[in-house]
Amino acid sequence: MVQEKWRNQDPALQAKRCGAGFFPDSDDITVNLPFFGQLMEAKHPAGTVRVAESGVEPHISEQILILHYLSSDFPFPGIDKLIAYSEIPDGKFYNAPYQKRTRNYLLGVFGARLEMLKAAAKKLNAEISDQGDFSFSLEAFPKVRVHFVCWEGDDEFEPEASVLWENSVQAFLDAESIAVLGGMAVGRLAKAAREMKE
């Protein structure tokens, strides 16, 4: 259980490893970090996770993912580079559901509507890059970014997209957690697009 793993770790070392803030006090220890731009607080040893500003608990899947990131102890891979999900250990096993919750989800929401995707990415403070017809990345955690490369398509080719990762993600999350995180990133883009329509 991830809460038990977190409870048995040194929160100061884990905060440093993950690029998080470390704030010890008399009763409890708080580790805070941005999660898709929203500041979260995780308590040690309790393992509770709340939104820093409001004190509200995020969805349980987000709490679990944040604790997985903070309690990570995987070795760092070699030279950093962008990789496909299938290149991650166990990625081939999870690749079909991963594509469904990332690439297929993204294309289902945006398809050839590249301008809408650009607007949603801008709303989420994406970092724009220069691959495909449009590419960008979202910072999920201080040391984990989700990268998107998109092609609008034309009369001959359907729109296409890839959701990629920096090789270093393997030091912080396992394949299943990476798939969940990718789906959450696309979900935030879809939500941003819906909000702009309203």
Side-chain angles (χ1 to χ4, degrees), residues 169-190:
V169 71
Q170 298 171 77
F172 299 101
L173 298 168
D174 62 17
E176 188 174 359
S177 296
I178 293 167
V180 171
L181 185 61
M184 287 181 180
V186 179
R188 279 163 168 75
L189 289 164

Side-chain angles (χ1 to χ4, degrees), residues 10 12 27 38 49 60 96 129 144 191:
D10 182 331
D27 300 318
Q38 186 174 41
V49 178
I60 186 65
S129 49
V144 173
K191 183 172 184 269

Side-chain angles (χ1 to χ4, degrees), residues 152-158:
E152 191 168 18
D154 53 30
D155 293 339
E156 294 184 38
F157 298 99
E158 293 291 323

Side-chain angles (χ1 to χ4, degrees), residues 57-146:
E57 290 186 359
H59 190 276
I60 186 65
S61 61
E62 296 184 349
Q63 294 181 53
I64 291 169
L65 195 61
I66 289 165
L67 288 178
H68 273 301
Y69 175 78
L70 286 174
S71 63
S72 62
D73 54 7
F74 304 115
F76 282 86
I79 298 171
D80 212 9
K81 60 181 179 178
L82 283 186
I83 59 171
Y85 180 78
S86 60
E87 297 177 71
I88 293 165
D90 293 327
K92 289 183 179 178
F93 178 76
Y94 287 106
N95 195 49
Y98 170 79
Q99 296 300 335
K100 184 176 180 181
R101 72 198 313 170
T102 58
R103 172 192 169 274
N104 297 0
Y105 183 12
L106 186 76
L107 291 172
V109 172
F110 295 100
R113 293 172 289 184
L114 208 57
E115 292 307 312
M116 183 189 294
L117 179 57
K118 288 179 179 180
K122 182 179 179 181
K123 185 173 182 180
L124 296 181
N125 298 312
E127 183 176 295
I128 309 302
S129 49
D130 60 358
Q131 296 175 279
D133 291 326
F134 179 55
S135 59
F136 63 97
S137 64
L138 298 175
E139 183 183 270
F141 290 114
K143 296 191 177 184
V144 173
R145 299 189 74 88
V146 191

